[in-house]
Amino acid sequence: MKGLLLSICIIAFTAQLCAGANLVSDSWIIMSNKLGVPPSPREGHTAVLNAANNTILVYGGWDGQKAVFIDVVKYLIVDDQWVLGFSPKGYYPRARYGHTAITTFDNQMIIFGGRNLTSFFNDMARYDLLTDTWISTTWAGTPPSPRFGHTAVFVPTLNQMVVFGGMDVNGNFLNDIYFFDIASSTWTTRTYNGTGPDPRAEHVAVYSPAGEMIIFGGFNGQSVRDVARFNFKTNRWLLNQIVIGSDGLYPSPRYCHTAVVGPLANMIVWGGKGDAGAPINEIWKMDLGNFTWSNPTPSAGSLDARFEHTSVATPFGTMITFGGYSETGAVVNTEGKYNLATTVLISTNDGAMEVVVMSLFGTILISMCFAVDWINEQAEKDREDAVKEALAAKAEEESESEEEEEEEEKPETTSEQHKSEFALKTQHFLHKVKENLDPMRDPNLNFT
């Protein structure tokens, strides 16, 4: 309770301290002091969060010309550092791009589909995130047809990977849906209710806290901007279930963009390109509770526009974006960090370093609040333990005292018994003597 009150006081004090400043929750943090050498420029790669050790794992991709990659690269989120040059164990899958990757409860990354410069794939592979080992995977059932530009989400309530859409080797756009059961390694399809969305590729899909798959945008001969939801409990598609923002705005048609789910239960869409072909650097947010769009204006500059990149939401309220095509048309290997939720303090002259410092200040302040609460809880627990120990010690003393009293009574009882036994033995001895002696030798002898 004391920790909670102190937390409230600290937050209130901070609010007063920042009264004259701008408070924002959407900002790009330019990582000018990152460590390590980034991987080679690429697009069409995948990136997933390894929550077990706070890293991002980048796999595959294409340099836009001749090289299709097979490497695995790590990004240390806390240190803002790239780790190259390690060699995963096991059987490597084929190099590819335009594939998908998800992570599972048991700390595995599962990749599916994609293509190289000559072939489309419908195979899959598992990667152990704890041991950095590729695991050759077999499966039952009929998998989706070979494709790229599709999406895949992990559905925790089903422990399944769900694949939707994409484009096949004949150039056909797809809108089928497949389910891969993680435990049994089995592919299945479902008969769903409602009308499915139009076929498409290069769209985005996320899993929402409400137990739905949300897809947005994509390309099917032209770029689109519709939203569709698939409810896993009812097996029903809901199309265009969306409310335009209060300002009457909503995103323009786009494809090759990214989307993540932020800590405030919203879908954050960034980048992509439209029919004109120009890269986009807008941030759009869709509230996953009431399905309204908003278009925040990031402070502290912006990452250069791009498409065919990756974005990953981290446990620290940020989104890390890497690679893709830049607005110059070049494939890049730069990254950016976007602040999704943590309120940061920015002065009138802004500055990237100031954003970073104040973000750290806010994080430390909140951590202190939690630390004080934890310390108070531990102190209360220690007090309870001390009382329990004192009661136990008192009970032990009383038990020992009772045992001592019982021991003191035992010798007295034993002494009385000894006396009684001695008297009986003496009487018995005298009786025997009387029987064995001849009374005629001494008539004065008299035994009683």
Side-chain angles (χ1 to χ4, degrees):
M1 185 63 182
K2 292 180 180 179
L4 177 61
L5 292 175
L6 180 59
S7 300
I8 295 173
C9 291
I10 293 175
I11 293 172
F13 171 76
T14 304
Q16 292 295 322
L17 181 66
C18 302
N22 299 315
L23 291 174
V24 298
S25 60
D26 291 276
S27 58
W28 283 103
I29 302 171
I30 308 303
M31 299 181 293
S32 57
N33 295 321
K34 63 179 182 296
L35 304 173
V37 178
S40 54
R42 64 192 65 201
E43 58 95 353
H45 53 287
T46 52
V48 298
L49 172 68
N50 181 359
N53 53 25
N54 289 325
T55 60
I56 293 173
L57 218 63
V58 174
Y59 167 70
W62 180 40
D63 70 354
Q65 298 178 1
K66 295 181 179 180
V68 180
F69 300 109
I70 197 174
D71 57 344
V72 176
V73 183
K74 289 182 181 180
Y75 184 81
L76 309 182
I77 298 172
V78 175
D79 300 326
D80 285 333
Q81 179 177 356
W82 287 104
V83 179
L84 307 181
F86 72 97
S87 299
K89 301 180 285 292
Y91 178 78
Y92 281 64
R94 290 174 289 185
R96 66 192 67 204
Y97 67 98
H99 55 286
T100 52
I102 58 105
T103 54
T104 67
F105 285 136
D106 56 351
N107 293 307
Q108 290 187 358
M109 174 179 71
I110 298 179
I111 65 167
F112 168 74
R115 60 170 296 181
N116 58 23
L117 298 180
T118 60
S119 303
F120 284 50
F121 306 137
N122 67 342
D123 61 344
M124 59 194 307
R126 300 182 188 234
Y127 185 90
D128 190 308
L129 297 172
L130 300 181
T131 63
D132 289 316
T133 303
W134 283 108
I135 304 169
S136 181
T137 303
T138 58
W139 55 85
T142 303
S145 59
R147 65 190 64 201
F148 92 110
H150 53 286
T151 53
V153 299
F154 176 64
V155 182
T157 55
L158 302 176
N159 194 28
Q160 293 181 344
M161 175 178 71
V162 179
V163 172
F164 170 77
M167 187 175 75
D168 67 15
V169 68
N170 298 315
N172 298 313
F173 295 99
L174 308 169
N175 68 344
D176 49 0
I177 184 169
Y178 280 80
F179 298 78
F180 180 76
D181 186 77
I182 306 296
S184 64
S185 293
T186 302
W187 285 105
T188 59
T189 58
R190 289 187 185 182
T191 301
Y192 54 78
N193 302 310
T195 302
D198 292 335
R200 68 194 65 204
E202 304 291 6
H203 52 287
V204 294
V206 299
Y207 179 79
S208 81
E212 296 180 329
M213 177 175 67
I214 313 293
I215 68 168
F216 166 68
F219 185 84
N220 58 9
Q222 62 181 4
S223 54
V224 297
R225 62 178 174 187
D226 59 332
V227 174
R229 299 155 51 194
F230 185 84
N231 188 292
F232 292 105
K233 292 182 179 179
T234 62
N235 288 326
R236 177 178 293 276
W237 278 107
L238 299 172
L239 306 183
N240 294 316
Q241 301 292 310
I242 188 167
V243 179
I244 297 175
S246 58
D247 53 6
L249 300 177
Y250 53 100
S252 60
R254 67 191 62 205
Y255 61 103
C256 296
H257 47 297
T258 57
V260 302
V261 175
L264 301 180
N266 46 28
M267 179 177 72
I268 298 93
V269 174
W270 186 76
K273 66 176 181 178
D275 287 332
I280 301 169
N281 69 347
E282 299 172 338
I283 286 280
W284 284 89
K285 289 185 176 182
M286 187 174 74
D287 188 308
L288 295 176
N290 57 24
F291 298 99
T292 57
W293 283 109
S294 61
N295 180 214
T297 301
S299 60
S302 177
L303 189 65
D304 55 309
R306 60 185 69 191
F307 62 94
E308 290 283 11
H309 53 287
T310 53
S311 295
V312 176
T314 76
F316 307 104
T318 58
M319 175 181 74
I320 305 294
T321 294
F322 168 70
Y325 284 97
S326 72
E327 52 195 353
T328 66
V331 178
V332 297
N333 64 345
T334 54
E335 64 284 296
K337 182 185 294 186
Y338 188 79
N339 178 31
L340 297 174
T342 308
T343 300
V344 294
L345 176 65
I346 305 176
S347 67
T348 53
N349 56 1
D350 295 334
M353 182 57 67
E354 193 168 13
V355 174
V356 175
V357 170
M358 298 314 295
S359 296
L360 290 174
F361 172 76
T363 302
I364 292 171
L365 186 61
I366 294 173
S367 300
M368 288 174 60
C369 294
F370 281 111
V372 170
D373 283 336
W374 182 83
I375 290 171
N376 283 335
E377 288 178 1
Q378 289 296 113
E380 183 65 27
K381 184 176 180 298
D382 291 341
R383 284 192 291 269
E384 291 177 357
D385 291 343
V387 171
K388 291 178 181 178
E389 290 178 0
L391 293 174
K394 184 177 180 180
E396 185 177 356
E397 290 177 0
E398 292 176 351
S399 176
E400 291 177 353
S401 177
E402 291 176 357
E403 290 178 357
E404 290 176 358
E405 291 177 358
E406 291 177 357
E407 289 296 330
E408 290 176 357
E409 292 175 355
K410 286 180 180 178
E412 294 180 2
T413 303
T414 304
S415 176
E416 293 294 332
Q417 290 176 347
H418 287 171
K419 290 178 180 179
S420 177
E421 290 175 359
F422 179 76
L424 289 173
K425 290 180 179 179
T426 302
Q427 186 176 359
H428 180 70
F429 173 75
L430 293 175
H431 181 72
K432 289 292 184 180
V433 171
K434 180 179 180 182
E435 288 180 347
N436 293 326
L437 289 177
D438 184 2
M440 296 301 295
R441 293 177 60 183
D442 190 353
N444 295 319
L445 287 175
N446 184 24
F447 294 94
T448 58

